[in-house]
Amino acid sequence: MLSTVGSTDSKTKQQTAGLSRPSKILERYSACSLKGVPKDALYVLYELSKITGISFENICLTLKKIRQNHVNATLAYDFGYSDRHVARIFESTVPVSAQVLKKVIFWPSKIRRSIEMHHCKIVVPCTVKAGEKCSEEHVRRSKEIASCRIHVERVIRRIQEFKFLDMNTCVDNKNIYFLDDIVIIAGALVDLQGRIIKK
């Protein structure tokens, strides 16, 4: 189904005729379609296109939908498709892309294993039962941990920049089933961005 929409679609071939490289598509559709993807990480999208058989153009369309939450009519105008065709591309591209991109997400379980390999440990704020008090040392350490919360919030903010996932976004009933996959795609793209804490 995906390869039919992404690779063998006659209209897509006509649209991309003469565009010998993905960079030509980027020039044609502007950088905003891939906003949030660093230039040095674009190779991931090229590989995604090769692995899934989805055209690079359709990947751009899908990412633009997730990032900007444009209505299908706007994307149809930008990419020269019909509204219905845009919907088909989005619905076909999201689940398959998520299956591939989830492999580049650094999951918490992997973080714990990585920390243990470096002979480190995870430090969490002090927790006490009702009526008990933390020691001065625990209070000091909890404050140090809390001061790092800003970095966690900065990561969360990066996710919130994907307007499709904004808390105030109205999601079409047909797209509710794709939300888990869209969160995975957004998470993968956030992981491809630069470090939160610069050395």
Side-chain angles (χ1 to χ4, degrees):
M1 175 178 165
L2 181 67
S3 58
T4 299
V5 173
S7 299
T8 63
D9 184 275
S10 59
K11 188 167 185 179
T12 299
K13 289 181 178 179
Q14 292 172 4
Q15 291 288 329
T16 58
L19 300 177
S20 57
R21 298 172 58 191
S23 59
K24 298 261 182 148
I25 299 175
L26 287 177
E27 292 172 6
R28 183 177 176 185
Y29 292 115
S30 81
C32 70
S33 63
L34 293 178
K35 188 177 179 184
V37 181
K39 289 182 180 179
D40 60 356
L42 285 178
Y43 73 93
V44 174
L45 303 186
Y46 301 152
E47 289 301 314
L48 178 62
S49 177
K50 292 178 183 177
I51 293 170
T52 61
I54 307 170
S55 72
F56 188 79
E57 184 175 20
N58 288 353
I59 289 175
C60 289
L61 183 154
T62 301
L63 294 185
K64 189 170 185 178
K65 172 78 171 177
I66 294 172
R67 183 73 181 191
Q68 304 294 343
N69 195 32
H70 288 315
V71 295
N72 289 347
T74 299
L75 294 171
Y77 177 82
D78 289 345
F79 287 80
Y81 294 138
S82 66
D83 294 14
R84 186 174 180 182
H85 190 65
V86 166
R88 287 204 307 268
I89 289 173
F90 184 77
E91 292 167 6
S92 300
T93 302
V94 165
V96 178
S97 296
Q99 285 300 309
V100 175
L101 289 175
K102 72 179 180 181
K103 297 175 184 177
V104 306
I105 295 177
F106 205 62
W107 298 99
S109 58
K110 293 183 181 179
I111 293 175
R112 182 178 291 275
R113 289 198 298 271
S114 177
I115 288 174
E116 291 172 351
M117 286 174 58
H118 289 85
H119 307 290
C120 298
K121 64 180 180 179
I122 298 175
V123 180
V124 297
C126 172
T127 55
V128 294
K129 295 180 180 178
E132 293 184 0
K133 291 185 177 180
C134 281
S135 66
E136 289 185 7
E137 174 63 16
H138 278 142
V139 170
R140 183 186 66 79
R141 292 177 66 186
S142 293
K143 286 182 178 179
E144 290 177 353
I145 295 169
S147 68
C148 296
R149 182 184 179 91
I150 185 174
H151 302 303
V152 175
E153 291 174 349
R154 288 170 67 191
V155 173
I156 293 172
R157 196 177 305 123
R158 285 185 174 183
I159 289 287
Q160 292 173 335
E161 287 174 355
F162 290 85
K163 294 182 181 178
F164 200 98
L165 299 175
D166 187 273
M167 62 184 297
N168 296 316
T169 294
C170 294
V171 179
D172 189 294
N173 289 337
K174 295 179 181 178
N175 291 330
I176 289 176
Y177 303 103
F178 300 107
L179 282 176
D180 286 346
D181 287 334
I182 290 170
V183 169
I184 289 174
I185 292 172
L189 296 181
V190 165
D191 275 2
L192 291 174
Q193 294 178 17
R195 293 174 177 269
I196 289 293
I197 303 174
K198 299 196 188 231
K199 293 183 180 180

